[in-house]
Amino acid sequence: MNKYSIYKIHFNRLIIILSLMIFSSSVILGQKSEPYISQLTDLERAKDLFNKEKYAMALELFDSFVEESDNPAALETAEAEYMAVICAARLYNTDAEYRMNRFKAMHPDNPSVNSGWLELADNFYQAKNYRSARRYYDRVDRLELKDDQLPAYFFKAGYSHFMDGDRDKAMLFFSELMDIDTEYSSPAI
């Protein structure tokens, strides 16, 4: 055996040993506790059910994730609480308002608060409860809405005010639709 072959064998062994050391250290350092992994899988399962529009089952998983959470201020916990609000609203549960108000109190600076108000308002609008819809549309910060959400927001908020008897405020919302061409423009006129 020549000197080159011996170096090659030792070099290959060194590469294998170093690879094993790097891999094992990343596994050891990257490990999470079993309850944490279990919680995250519950959250992922709940999101999957939500995406499949199975809101009742998703709501149960979101609630259990929040209950089992060690840190109520964690981002995952806030996300689960928000998703539970949306589930409750889409199921027309009577506690949807309570859940949203609690979410706002617990996470006042969370960017999902505005979309939560909009979701709640839209659900009351669909249920033809225009007084409640109006109350929640008034809480929505329209500057935080996406451009494609604005026409529906203006129309539904205006219609809710109109149906609740506040024609002046309804006209303000409808006037926002006058100069743009959307499906809501002609009904607003």
Side-chain angles (χ1 to χ4, degrees):
M1 218 179 226
N2 68 16
K3 196 175 184 182
Y4 175 72
S5 298
I6 293 173
Y7 285 129
K8 187 176 178 183
I9 291 170
H10 287 301
F11 183 72
N12 286 340
R13 286 182 185 165
L14 181 64
I15 295 293
I16 290 170
I17 291 170
L18 286 174
S19 297
L20 288 173
M21 288 174 58
I22 291 171
F23 176 73
S24 64
S25 67
S26 67
V27 169
I28 291 169
L29 294 175
Q31 287 184 341
K32 302 282 185 189
S33 67
E34 180 62 33
Y36 180 80
I37 291 171
S38 174
Q39 274 189 314
L40 281 184
T41 57
D42 283 349
L43 181 60
E44 294 306 316
R45 282 186 20 231
K47 287 180 188 178
D48 185 51
L49 289 168
F50 179 87
N51 290 334
K52 292 177 181 174
E53 298 181 5
K54 298 183 187 270
Y55 302 121
M57 290 186 292
L59 179 60
E60 285 182 33
L61 284 174
F62 286 130
D63 283 345
S64 71
F65 179 84
V66 171
E67 275 181 30
E68 294 171 9
S69 176
D70 298 334
N71 183 3
L75 291 176
E76 293 91 2
T77 307
E79 180 184 15
E81 286 182 66
Y82 169 72
M83 298 300 286
V85 168
I86 302 305
C87 287
R90 291 188 182 173
L91 291 168
Y92 297 99
N93 286 2
T94 55
D95 69 339
E97 287 180 271
Y98 168 76
R99 286 174 179 269
M100 185 57 208
N101 287 317
R102 187 181 69 198
F103 177 75
K104 168 72 168 131
M106 298 283 292
H107 312 283
D109 298 328
N110 191 299
S112 298
V113 168
N114 199 53
S115 58
W117 293 134
L118 183 62
E119 182 78 29
L120 208 53
D122 284 345
N123 281 357
F124 280 119
Y125 178 86
Q126 291 296 333
K128 297 183 173 133
N129 183 344
Y130 298 114
R131 179 162 296 184
S132 293
R134 168 189 167 172
R135 187 172 65 242
Y136 290 109
Y137 281 126
D138 287 346
R139 292 184 183 184
V140 172
D141 182 357
R142 73 182 200 181
L143 299 176
E144 291 183 21
L145 296 177
K146 296 175 188 163
D147 289 342
D148 63 335
Q149 293 177 305
L150 285 172
Y153 164 75
F154 287 133
F155 180 79
K156 291 175 182 178
Y159 191 79
S160 297
H161 280 279
F162 180 80
M163 294 303 287
D164 197 38
D166 189 351
R167 298 188 193 296
D168 292 334
K169 195 150 187 188
M171 293 309 292
L172 288 174
F173 281 105
F174 289 146
S175 69
E176 295 285 343
L177 295 167
M178 298 297 186
D179 297 330
I180 50 179
D181 185 29
T182 69
E183 64 184 288
Y184 298 101
S185 299
S186 52
I189 297 173

